Amino acid sequence: MIRPTLPEDTPRLVALTEATRMFRPLELETLREVLDDYHAVNHESRHRCVTLELDDQPIGFCYWAPAAMTDRGWYLYWIVVDPDYQGRGFGRKLLREAEDAIVVEGGRMLLVETSGTEAYAATREFYRRCGYAEAARVPDYYANGDDQIIFSLRFPAPLMEQPYG
Ligand SMILES: CC(C)(COP(=O)(O)OP(=O)(O)OC[C@H]1O[C@@H](n2cnc3c(N)ncnc32)[C@H](O)[C@@H]1OP(=O)(O)O)[C@@H](O)C(=O)NCCC(=O)NCCS
């Protein structure tokens, strides 16, 4: 079941993110702040966060928000599945939830940033398998030898925007 993320989910979501061993302590602290800010104010600015539950236990989450100063662009900021449950289609389910919600809001494009290092090869494959294309690469963005890769997904234009003929 996928439901809106609640403030009481935070400790579990940070713990399962830590369990992936993909994030540094500073990034885990940032996640805690992002979730606190989301519940405090950012949910009012069309930020969205959902929790995936199995047997009443959170096993993953996904966070997305409008991309500032763009025409209906969106950014996926976080998507994490508990390592004990990865590879069973849950990540794809969470991503589709975000995409469906963005389409309902009239979104045009969804971007997601990730690292070009070997440690993130599986994450990049996940986005490719889910239909995302590599749109840009910034060499040495995160650190020397650690490129930023931006994947994108474009949504079909609503019928009223499509040209005649
Ligand atoms: C990335 C992540 C969310 C994917 O979730 P998941 O539940 O494992 O992924 P799914 O089972 O839904 O897989 C969806 C597709 O991606 C592919 N995929 C997933 N993990 C893969 C891997 N390690 N290697 C190759 N392909 C992979 C699957 O094969 C599947 O494709 P298919 O349906 O064509 O077979 C999860 O692995 C994760 O939390 N990783 C650590 C955190 C992270 O990197 N988050 C993204 C940056 S914030």
Side-chain angles (χ1 to χ4, degrees):
M1 169 177 126
I2 295 179
R3 57 159 175 80
T5 297
L6 303 170
E8 52 266 37
D9 292 338
T10 297
R12 174 79 192 119
L13 299 185
V14 173
L16 68 85
T17 301
E18 184 172 16
T20 66
R21 309 177 98 191
M22 305 260 308
F23 300 93
R24 296 186 297 264
L26 182 64
E27 293 170 311
L28 297 171
E29 198 42 49
T30 301
L31 171 60
R32 207 185 303 272
E33 287 169 14
V34 165
L35 291 172
D36 288 350
D37 291 349
Y38 169 72
H39 295 299
V41 289
N42 282 337
H43 66 278
E44 290 165 9
S45 313
R46 296 161 76 214
H47 286 223
R48 301 284 178 253
C49 189
V50 295
T51 295
L52 173 67
E53 263 188 357
L54 198 65
D55 299 330
D56 295 331
Q57 274 298 317
I59 61 156
F61 72 100
C62 186
Y63 190 112
W64 66 96
M69 294 183 284
T70 68
D71 171 27
R72 293 166 292 136
W74 289 74
Y75 247 100
L76 187 87
Y77 284 111
W78 293 86
I79 181 164
V80 182
V81 172
D82 184 321
D84 289 344
Y85 297 92
Q86 288 178 9
R88 299 196 212 169
F90 291 124
R92 187 189 280 274
K93 217 179 264 264
L94 278 166
L95 195 51
R96 292 290 174 253
E97 181 77 15
E99 292 165 7
D100 289 350
I102 290 167
V103 166
V104 167
E105 298 224 34
R108 189 176 56 85
M109 185 184 285
L110 177 57
L111 298 179
V112 56
E113 293 175 8
T114 192
S115 157
T117 58
E118 194 48 39
Y120 280 85
T123 301
R124 296 194 297 276
E125 188 56 23
F126 166 73
Y127 292 126
R128 282 192 201 98
R129 294 277 189 138
C130 290
Y132 288 67
E134 186 177 320
R137 176 184 287 255
V138 183
D140 300 326
Y141 176 81
Y142 295 109
N144 283 336
D146 187 351
D147 298 352
Q148 178 197 53
I149 299 182
I150 302 173
F151 283 93
S152 73
L153 182 75
R154 296 187 75 121
F155 300 109
L159 280 179
M160 55 190 279
E161 269 188 28
Q162 288 174 5
Y164 293 113

